[in-house]
């Protein structure tokens, strides 16, 4: 099957990659729903929802401080680097990611649509003015209007950034090949995107998730390993 997927990619004029938290676990960042995932020990509604931002800012800020500090010294892994190299070689046209760690960009990928925003950049919750990460980590308030600061992450209950969504949807609808890597496909609306694909649909994941149906090929394993094996055929 590996060789077949590689041949699809070689013939493809447009390949799009959709990634999730499983793409970053080999870099040392936990995913959300696996045995060691964030949501196994924390209720996402209490720390990653609009309500948590308004009703319990201290807990909200503590959670994102933890996640931002967990990114320190984190490097992209071989899988991120292969995807960046494929972009340079013209094998990949867009990476649409649910991840908020910017590891694709750190690995050199230029064309990345951040469907759930990121936790690397910060803004004021009221006037939306940008602030530094240090401001947020030091529990500072907005220097313009003294309101709370927050990461530019999409919280549960918020809509996705329109530009990133449109880029991802348009690219996936017109792609010859769509690689879906490291996601349980449990979260709406991103879990609808694979169904919009008209081309070949490939699932690369450690676990065979219940939501992952309708794929033309399933390559079970870690993102780093599978992408390394695929790269050998390209
Ligand atoms: N290689 C491949 N797959 C992996 C790896 C790996 N190294 N490690 C974990 N996985 C798989 C897991 O088996 C699981 O199916 O990645 C998937 C991760 O699923 P989730 O934890 O549900 O993460 P994701 O699908 O990205 O979650 C979507 O939910 O909590 C929100 O906003 C958050 O963007 C996130 C969204």
């Amino acid at each position: 099957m590996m060789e077949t997927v590689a041949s699809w990619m070689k013939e493809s004029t447009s390949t799009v990659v959709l990634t999730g938290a499983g793409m970053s676990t080999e870099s040392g960042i936990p995913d959300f729903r696996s045995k060691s995932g964030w949501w196994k020990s924390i209720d996402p509604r209490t720390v990653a929802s609009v309500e948590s931002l308004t009703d319990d800012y201290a807990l909200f800020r503590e959670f994102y401080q933890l996640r931002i500090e967990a990114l320190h010294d984190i490097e992209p892994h071989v899988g991120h680097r292969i995807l960046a190299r494929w972009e340079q070689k013209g094998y990949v046209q867009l990476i649409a990611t649910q991840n908020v760690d910017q590891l694709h960009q750190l690995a050199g990928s230029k064309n990345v649509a951040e469907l759930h925003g990121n936790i690397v950049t910060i803004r004021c919750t009221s006037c939306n003015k940008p602030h530094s990460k240090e401001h947020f980590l030091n529990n500072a308030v907005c220097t313009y209007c003294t309101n709370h600061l927050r990461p530019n992450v999409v919280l549960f209950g918020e809509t996705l950034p329109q530009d990133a969504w449109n880029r991802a949807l348009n690219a996936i609808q017109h792609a010859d090949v769509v690689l879906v890597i490291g996601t349980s496909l449990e979260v709406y609306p991103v879990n609808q995107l694979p169904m919009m694909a008209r081309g070949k649909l490939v699932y690369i994941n450690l676990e065979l998730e219940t939501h992952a149906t309708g794929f033309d090929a399933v390559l079970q394993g870690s993102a780093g390993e599978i992408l390394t094996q695929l790269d050998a055929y390209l």
Side-chain angles (χ1 to χ4, degrees), residues 196-207:
M196 315 289 187
R198 300 195 190 114
K200 295 290 185 197
L201 201 46
V202 180
Y203 189 50
I204 298 173
N205 211 59
L206 213 45
E207 294 160 282

Side-chain angles (χ1 to χ4, degrees), residues 19-27 29-34 37-39 44 48 64 67 77 97-100 115-116 153-156 181-188 190 203-209 219-226:
T19 65
M23 184 72 217
S24 295
T25 56
E26 291 157 82
S27 287
I29 303 174
D31 61 15
F32 297 95
R33 294 173 186 81
S34 292
W38 286 105
W39 303 152
Y64 280 102
R67 290 191 58 192
H77 62 78
T97 188
Q98 298 169 86
N99 300 342
V100 294
L115 294 164
H116 291 164
V153 64
V154 177
L155 302 174
F156 286 102
I181 309 176
T183 176
S184 62
L185 292 172
E186 283 204 24
V187 174
Y188 179 91
V190 172
Y203 189 50
I204 298 173
N205 211 59
L206 213 45
E207 294 160 282
L208 298 181
E209 297 284 359
L219 303 174
Q220 187 176 9
S222 77
E225 273 168 35
I226 300 285

Side-chain angles (χ1 to χ4, degrees), residues 44-66:
R45 287 163 301 185
T46 62
V47 290
S49 65
V50 177
E51 294 72 33
S52 64
L53 174 60
T54 47
D55 305 348
D56 192 346
Y57 182 75
L59 184 62
F60 169 89
R61 207 194 68 77
E62 196 188 324
F63 176 66
Y64 280 102
Q65 171 162 3
L66 198 69

Side-chain angles (χ1 to χ4, degrees), residues 21-225:
M23 184 72 217
S24 295
T25 56
E26 291 157 82
S27 287
I29 303 174
D31 61 15
F32 297 95
R33 294 173 186 81
S34 292
K35 283 193 290 314
S36 54
W38 286 105
W39 303 152
K40 287 298 173 206
S41 53
I42 303 172
D43 176 348
R45 287 163 301 185
T46 62
V47 290
S49 65
V50 177
E51 294 72 33
S52 64
L53 174 60
T54 47
D55 305 348
D56 192 346
Y57 182 75
L59 184 62
F60 169 89
R61 207 194 68 77
E62 196 188 324
F63 176 66
Y64 280 102
Q65 171 162 3
L66 198 69
R67 290 191 58 192
I68 293 169
E69 286 172 347
L71 283 183
H72 291 173
D73 310 325
I74 291 285
E75 293 286 327
H77 62 78
V78 61
H80 293 108
R81 299 192 192 288
I82 286 171
L83 291 176
R85 209 170 52 243
W86 286 355
E87 184 187 75
Q88 274 158 13
K89 289 182 170 176
Y91 282 127
V92 163
Q93 278 58 47
L94 178 75
I95 296 177
T97 188
Q98 298 169 86
N99 300 342
V100 294
D101 51 38
Q102 295 199 330
L103 287 179
H104 287 301
Q105 293 95 324
L106 215 55
S109 290
K110 302 280 180 284
N111 232 349
V112 180
E114 296 183 323
L115 294 164
H116 291 164
N118 69 69
I119 60 172
V120 176
T121 57
I122 305 291
R123 74 173 189 269
C124 169
T125 53
S126 174
C127 70
N128 290 325
K129 290 248 176 37
H131 285 71
S132 71
K133 209 168 42 175
E134 290 60 39
H135 252 88
F136 179 76
L137 295 177
N138 298 332
N139 201 3
V141 295
C142 174
T143 46
Y144 305 91
C145 70
T146 70
N147 277 292
H148 286 150
L149 301 178
R150 57 163 293 174
N152 285 321
V153 64
V154 177
L155 302 174
F156 286 102
E158 290 184 323
T159 52
L160 274 54
Q162 200 60 45
D163 172 56
W165 175 259
N166 292 343
R167 285 172 66 201
L169 179 60
N170 183 49
I172 285 173
Q173 285 174 323
H174 297 93
D176 298 328
V177 177
V178 177
L179 304 179
V180 178
I181 309 176
T183 176
S184 62
L185 292 172
E186 283 204 24
V187 174
Y188 179 91
V190 172
N191 63 355
Q192 305 301 300
L193 284 173
M195 288 176 240
M196 315 289 187
R198 300 195 190 114
K200 295 290 185 197
L201 201 46
V202 180
Y203 189 50
I204 298 173
N205 211 59
L206 213 45
E207 294 160 282
L208 298 181
E209 297 284 359
T210 46
H211 299 275
T213 54
F215 285 87
D216 301 294
V218 174
L219 303 174
Q220 187 176 9
S222 77
E225 273 168 35

